[in-house]
Amino acid sequence: MSSFGNYFRVTTFGESHCYGVGCIIDGVPPRLGLTEADIQPQLTRRRPGQSKLATARNEADQVKIFSGTEHGRTLGTPIGLFVKNKDQRPGDYKTMSQHPRPSHADYTYHAKYGVHSQSGGGRSSARETIGRVAAGAVAEKWLYERFGVEIVGWVSAVGKEQIADGEIDFDTITREMVEDTVPMRCGNHEAKERMTKVIEQAKEEHDSIGGVITCVVRGCPPGWGEPCFDKLEAKLAHAMLSIPATKGFEIGSGFSGVSMRGSDHNDMFVKKADGTLGTTTNRSGGIQGGISNGEHITFRIAFKPPATIGKEQKTATYTGDDSELAAKGRHDPCVVTRAISIVETMAALVLADAAMAQLAREGSVQPETTTMLEEAGNPLAGGGGARSIVPPPPRPAAAPAPSPPVVQPAAPAPEVAQYPPALWLAVGIAIGLYFVKL
């Protein structure tokens, strides 16, 4: 489907080579300061044509707000965002119309709908993510202003070239530091050179290469996420794996945790310097039991090599005839350098939705209700971000319950005279003889 979220809900529209793409956002709180300038930076980070490591398609991707704001403030009504396609070339795909591109969505879309877009990837194209990024930029702004949440992603691997553990400080990495290593956006200048060479080599050979993006969320309060089926990491996985070309998701220790003992993997609780409860390590990735615990949320997403390549490959046509295909058009040799803003904004959409769900729950709780945690003197009493382990102040003594009203006994019912059965029988006989004489 083309919609995502429950409280903060986004519907995207548009195809790769149509007139334009965009989204409708429902659930944005009113009175949030919002103009195109708040949204454009993330769109600029993902736009095509920005470097030799990306597709040559040259799009400015300038966003326009069509509805939902007035005088730079949101109205609480649906927000319409639109980006016009300007450098589309549907004719580049004419020679490929008889071939389902290997590992692309051409065949599966045709199998599902009986038709598919023959100019680019249609809804499976990365152009579709423009609506996500625009909506996520709005979510990011609200999350930062309301809760102080920060989201930063960077390229941590291209092919076999990786950034070693410890080379990036999750506490201090910023978007400015990531942008300082453009076009790789890896946050490490040495790694930038190594990774750039890998992508350039794949491009020279008319081929492609995959990579990994790592993302950290700082400032997320404890209590976000729902038990069982809507766990926060499940929602994040849903969001990340919906991005085109993604093939893997892991959070915290991820797959490396399987080689550890529980005694080594457990994150021990500790009182921190600011008086809050935290953990000494973060192998859980900031989420336990599907609910945020207040630590950094850390996860990684694997992107496959882009499917559309200029290198000639043996394949088959839609009718099953053997054929050879060398794809035309303008395509990324590696998508991770442009996908960082997609990852960050999709994370923002998940967190905004989780935040609103928690706010709705907290708003439904009666303030005088005593919780089991409060009765036990538990420091986490209060939920939804309460982390202090300082004992709560004593509860005021309850006012004595009013005495029940005195109920006056009801007056006894008046006694009814009782007559013996023989008397009733005599009366009945007398009445009967009277009528016989008549």
Side-chain angles (χ1 to χ4, degrees):
M1 305 299 287
S2 295
S3 297
F4 186 81
N6 296 310
Y7 297 86
F8 195 104
R9 188 169 180 81
V10 180
T11 300
T12 67
F13 61 85
E15 290 84 36
S16 177
H17 291 269
C18 70
Y19 183 77
V21 292
C23 69
I24 300 294
I25 319 172
D26 205 2
V28 179
R31 299 186 299 279
L32 173 70
L34 185 68
T35 66
E36 284 91 348
D38 296 309
I39 303 170
Q40 192 60 50
Q42 283 289 47
L43 288 174
T44 300
R45 296 176 78 205
R46 75 147 300 284
R47 79 173 186 86
Q50 58 182 279
S51 79
K52 62 181 180 179
L53 302 184
T55 172
R57 179 172 176 172
N58 189 15
E59 296 278 4
D61 287 350
Q62 293 291 323
V63 66
K64 293 294 183 183
I65 299 177
F66 277 2
S67 66
T69 66
E70 189 173 68
H71 307 305
R73 294 278 176 180
T74 58
L75 301 172
T77 54
I79 295 176
L81 304 175
F82 182 75
V83 171
K84 185 178 179 181
N85 289 331
K86 295 183 177 180
D87 191 25
Q88 65 268 49
R89 298 180 189 173
D92 288 349
Y93 298 85
K94 187 175 182 180
T95 59
M96 295 184 288
S97 61
Q98 303 302 314
H99 300 78
R101 284 172 289 175
S103 291
H104 208 284
D106 297 336
Y107 171 73
T108 51
Y109 266 63
H110 195 88
K112 183 176 182 64
Y113 298 107
V115 65
H116 71 281
S117 174
Q118 295 184 7
S119 56
R123 290 292 287 167
S124 68
S125 167
R127 291 296 289 171
E128 178 273 333
T129 63
I130 286 176
R132 307 173 185 223
V133 172
V138 178
E140 280 185 328
K141 181 175 174 60
W142 179 72
L143 286 168
Y144 181 76
E145 293 185 3
R146 179 71 172 78
F147 301 99
V149 172
E150 296 179 304
I151 306 171
V152 182
W154 62 93
V155 175
S156 54
V158 171
K160 296 181 180 180
E161 291 292 344
Q162 302 182 11
I163 296 179
D165 292 342
E167 289 191 60
I168 298 292
D169 187 343
F170 284 36
D171 292 333
T172 60
I173 184 72
T174 64
R175 287 187 185 173
E176 290 74 19
M177 296 167 65
V178 173
E179 291 301 298
D180 191 45
T181 54
V182 166
M184 272 312 310
R185 294 190 171 95
C186 60
N188 182 286
H189 288 279
E190 182 183 351
K192 169 188 172 181
E193 301 302 323
R194 293 185 279 113
M195 293 177 178
T196 298
K197 290 179 180 179
V198 173
I199 298 178
E200 289 177 340
Q201 182 179 357
K203 183 178 181 180
E204 289 174 3
E205 298 172 358
H206 303 288
D207 214 331
S208 61
I209 191 74
V212 176
I213 291 177
T214 298
C215 189
V216 60
V217 178
R218 297 190 292 257
C220 179
W224 291 6
E226 304 302 316
C228 300
F229 302 110
D230 288 337
K231 293 179 178 178
L232 192 56
E233 70 262 46
K235 288 291 190 178
L236 285 169
H238 177 186
M240 299 306 145
L241 293 178
S242 73
I243 300 172
T246 53
K247 284 297 179 182
F249 173 86
E250 63 176 5
I251 187 164
S253 62
F255 289 100
S256 65
V258 302
S259 62
M260 303 176 69
R261 295 284 185 92
S263 55
D264 295 325
H265 190 273
N266 288 342
D267 296 319
M268 300 303 172
F269 287 103
V270 65
K271 180 181 179 180
K272 293 192 172 182
D274 60 358
T276 62
L277 189 65
T279 59
T280 56
T281 55
N282 190 25
R283 298 184 182 92
S284 300
I287 301 175
Q288 294 170 331
I291 301 171
S292 61
N293 65 2
E295 301 296 326
H296 296 342
I297 297 175
T298 60
F299 56 91
R300 290 161 294 282
I301 311 96
F303 288 79
K304 68 173 180 136
T308 307
I309 59 176
K311 190 173 186 177
E312 191 171 84
Q313 293 181 291
K314 292 184 178 180
T315 183
T317 64
Y318 281 102
T319 58
D321 298 326
D322 292 339
S323 180
E324 293 184 351
L325 176 65
K328 305 298 181 182
R330 300 156 296 174
H331 307 282
D332 293 275
C334 182
V335 300
V336 290
T337 60
R338 294 202 298 125
I340 293 171
S341 62
I342 309 174
V343 168
E344 292 172 342
T345 50
M346 286 302 295
L349 291 177
V350 171
L351 294 171
D353 204 49
M356 290 183 176
Q358 183 64 18
L359 290 173
R361 175 175 289 101
E362 291 173 353
S364 67
V365 176
Q366 296 295 330
E368 67 273 11
T369 300
T370 301
T371 67
M372 290 187 293
L373 290 177
E374 289 172 327
E375 290 175 351
N378 192 296
L380 293 181
R387 300 177 60 201
S388 174
I389 60 176
V390 178
R395 296 172 62 86
S403 301
V406 178
V407 179
Q408 298 294 336
E415 294 186 3
V416 179
Q418 300 293 324
Y419 299 98
L423 178 60
W424 288 110
L425 179 60
V427 171
I429 293 173
I431 294 173
L433 292 174
Y434 172 78
F435 282 103
V436 170
K437 292 180 179 181
L438 293 176

